[in-house]
Amino acid sequence: MKIIVIGTGYVGLVSSIGLAELGHTVFGVDKDHHKINTLLKGQEPFYEPDLGRLLKKNLKSHRLFFTASLAEVINKAEMIFICVGTPPKKDGSADLTYVKQVAQDINKYAKTGKVVITKSTVPVGTGQMIEDILNQKNGRRFFAVSCPEFLREGKAIYDFFHPDRIVVGAVKESTGYKVMNLFAKIKTHKIVTARETAELIKYASNAFLATKISFINEIANLCERVGADVEEVAKGMGYDKRIGPAFLKAGIGYGGSCFPKDVRALRQLAGGSGYNFRLLKSVIEVNSRQRKLFIEKIKRVMGSLNQKTITVLGLAFKDNTDDIRESAAIDIVKILQKAGAKVKVYDPEAMVNAKCLLHKKTVFCESPYAALEGSQAMIIATEWPIFADLSWNRVRVLMKKPVIFDGKNIVDDKKVRKLGFKYYPVGR
Ligand code: UDX
């Protein structure tokens, strides 16, 4: 099948490459000429494991093409995926400017009707809005379909080929099965349902995962007061098949381009539909407070942070990505600097992105050890595995004071305490 994918961000590029790898002919479209030129050279525009290899492979097999001009390719395919950004507006609702612009462009250039599939996370009812924009001219029949993505950054390629489920929402069931058939080679649970139901499945899934994280973070805060160990509590909870072990890792709160945005958007969507989604208000509050509680713990131990040298290991919002959007690590660096600390930082992938966001007084170091030299405290702010496996004897010598604040509970507390470190995790 010939397919157009509009947008070459995390969702669009992974979807383009994934669909090409499934054997389809895919035209990736993006208005950003620089991005298109980068992709045409087989260069990945962001870090994602295995992305570069599959990009090169499918370019070489002529199943994958990129262009900045939708007009050039729109009449070569009958299915179009919309994978453009839906950033949050000030009130937290999803900004559909880019989605609307794409719908207007399709309306302008398409000679015949198409199936227009929204993969971007969009509020319930967006499919109808797209269809209203498209079906303005006679003689062409467009079908707007919802096919939400469930890709995790850092595991996006794996998630594309091994999804827990594929959801397609359409007004006409036959159209839904036509879209589902694009993924025939992928063996997983497949749900063809109403369009609004598919749109809501995405928001509900992300909001529930965020709720699990805020829940375990509240339990962690309680553990610190009653002397329990949140890691053990999570383990004991997780054996219950109705709860499951995933997303029960306490820490400094969730970040990224999805959870914060999607939880706020769902709350707005509910409010706009006359329903006060109280639980989500708490999920959001707990998450933003988690960073502050972590800083309060650091201040309790270290006293004034003014003129203190503190190392923050990790800048990305999680491991295996260079993405720093709504990263708790970035928030913590800024709070420390506001308190007068001299902050030295290191991240395996996210340094370039972080340099655009952090104050120029931030000391960017080439290795975790360089960042730890002369430091009076180490903060682990991203769950990169290398931060759990540092050469602790070397670290002990490098640091001015052997103090570890583990915002992600990834360090072996017995090991470092035996070496003389003062170790402060979350909820343990
Ligand atoms: C998420 C959803 O997992 C994915 O299905 C959806 O398509 C997009 O949003 P992503 O944002 O890439 O994916 O990252 P994820 O792995 O879900 O982690 C999100 C945040 O939660 C990160 O900051 C991570 O550190 C944090 N997290 C995750 C926890 O604090 N505890 C956990 O147990 C799991």
Side-chain angles (χ1 to χ4, degrees):
M1 177 77 74
K2 288 194 173 68
I3 298 168
I4 290 169
V5 177
I6 302 175
T8 58
Y10 276 97
V11 176
L13 185 55
V14 171
S15 302
S16 301
I17 292 169
L19 287 161
E21 185 69 8
L22 289 177
H24 301 295
T25 300
V26 180
F27 302 94
V29 180
D30 197 303
K31 285 192 165 146
D32 182 334
H33 287 265
H34 172 67
K35 249 191 190 179
I36 293 297
N37 293 334
T38 304
L39 290 166
L40 287 172
K41 286 183 228 154
Q43 290 166 5
E44 54 213 271
F46 49 79
Y47 175 79
E48 184 64 42
D50 219 15
L51 188 85
R53 179 182 70 82
L54 288 178
L55 170 63
K56 293 179 184 68
K57 176 186 170 192
N58 285 284
L59 281 171
K60 200 162 163 235
S61 62
H62 301 302
R63 279 200 300 265
L64 182 57
F65 303 87
F66 292 104
T67 174
S69 161
L70 176 61
E72 182 191 315
V73 296
I74 189 162
N75 292 302
K76 293 180 182 203
E78 58 175 288
M79 291 207 179
I80 303 176
F81 279 86
I82 298 180
C83 300
V84 293
T86 54
K89 287 195 274 194
K90 277 204 177 31
D91 65 2
S93 62
D95 181 348
L96 296 176
T97 305
Y98 302 120
V99 172
K100 284 178 188 156
Q101 184 56 59
V102 164
Q104 283 149 7
D105 290 348
I106 293 170
N107 188 40
K108 186 174 164 191
Y109 299 119
K111 292 195 179 91
T112 58
K114 312 262 176 207
V115 175
V116 179
I117 307 147
T118 306
K119 199 156 257 307
S120 303
T121 305
V122 293
V124 175
T126 301
Q128 188 55 55
M129 177 203 78
I130 291 169
E131 224 162 68
D132 294 343
I133 293 172
L134 292 172
N135 286 326
Q136 289 171 0
K137 287 181 189 167
N138 297 328
R140 299 176 315 171
R141 187 79 183 86
F142 287 92
F143 299 95
V145 171
S146 165
C147 179
E149 53 86 16
F150 301 101
L151 306 174
R152 293 166 297 171
E153 288 184 24
K155 300 183 179 73
I157 293 289
Y158 176 83
D159 286 345
F160 182 91
F161 293 104
H162 308 88
D164 290 337
R165 74 304 205 185
I166 298 175
V167 173
V168 173
V171 173
K172 272 175 70 180
E173 200 174 47
S174 57
T175 308
Y177 282 107
K178 204 171 159 192
V179 172
M180 186 62 82
N181 197 39
L182 295 175
F183 305 98
K185 288 183 184 169
I186 296 178
K187 301 299 168 230
T188 186
H189 298 294
K190 297 182 173 181
I191 302 170
V192 176
T193 183
R195 194 166 54 197
E196 288 68 21
T197 303
E199 289 166 340
L200 193 52
I201 288 173
K202 170 66 188 175
Y203 274 117
S205 302
N206 264 12
F208 183 75
L209 290 170
T211 301
K212 259 189 118 170
I213 294 169
S214 280
F215 179 83
I216 200 64
N217 281 333
E218 291 244 80
I219 292 290
N221 299 336
L222 180 57
C223 283
E224 291 188 357
R225 284 154 180 76
V226 300
D229 180 335
V230 72
E231 296 293 302
E232 292 297 295
V233 170
K235 194 172 163 191
M237 290 170 65
Y239 285 126
D240 184 322
K241 288 187 183 56
R242 296 165 302 173
I243 299 173
F247 280 72
L248 287 176
K249 191 80 180 155
I252 50 179
Y254 60 76
S257 64
C258 295
F259 282 177
K261 166 175 77 74
D262 292 353
V263 174
R264 286 197 292 262
L266 183 58
R267 190 167 164 239
Q268 280 299 333
L269 176 72
S273 314
Y275 182 73
N276 177 7
F277 206 139
R278 293 167 185 78
L279 183 60
L280 291 183
K281 184 169 181 290
S282 305
V283 169
I284 295 166
E285 284 170 0
V286 167
N287 192 57
S288 61
R289 193 183 65 201
Q290 205 60 9
R291 294 137 162 84
K292 296 185 186 91
L293 292 176
F294 189 64
I295 292 287
E296 283 169 18
K297 180 186 294 181
I298 294 168
K299 287 180 175 173
R300 274 200 305 277
V301 171
M302 297 183 74
S304 162
L305 302 181
N306 194 26
Q307 299 308 308
K308 294 266 173 62
T309 300
I310 298 178
T311 302
V312 176
L313 295 184
L315 296 169
F317 81 91
K318 67 168 186 174
D319 63 316
N320 248 350
T321 181
D322 59 0
D323 195 343
I324 57 169
R325 286 175 288 183
E326 303 229 18
S327 165
I330 296 286
D331 290 345
I332 283 170
V333 171
K334 289 180 175 175
I335 297 171
L336 292 173
Q337 288 176 328
K338 213 167 163 200
K342 176 191 172 194
V343 183
K344 300 173 75 178
V345 299
Y346 171 76
D347 185 287
E349 293 294 342
M351 302 264 267
V352 170
N353 290 338
K355 278 178 182 157
C356 308
L357 214 57
L358 289 175
H359 193 281
K360 59 181 183 307
K361 67 188 173 187
T362 311
V363 181
F364 288 89
C365 301
E366 286 315 304
S367 76
Y369 301 104
L372 287 163
E373 194 165 359
S375 179
Q376 291 161 275
M378 168 209 297
I379 291 171
I380 296 176
T382 307
E383 57 271 43
W384 284 104
I386 59 161
F387 298 151
D389 301 328
L390 294 172
S391 158
W392 295 108
N393 288 312
R394 183 178 171 196
V395 171
R396 185 80 175 70
V397 171
L398 283 169
M399 291 183 76
K400 211 168 172 185
K401 289 214 175 140
V403 179
I404 302 171
F405 295 96
D406 187 355
K408 292 290 184 176
N409 287 353
I410 58 174
V411 172
D412 176 341
D413 56 325
K414 293 183 184 61
K415 186 174 183 181
V416 294
R417 284 182 170 134
K418 217 160 82 180
L419 290 169
F421 285 92
K422 288 198 179 346
Y423 175 71
Y424 302 93
V426 174
R428 305 178 74 189

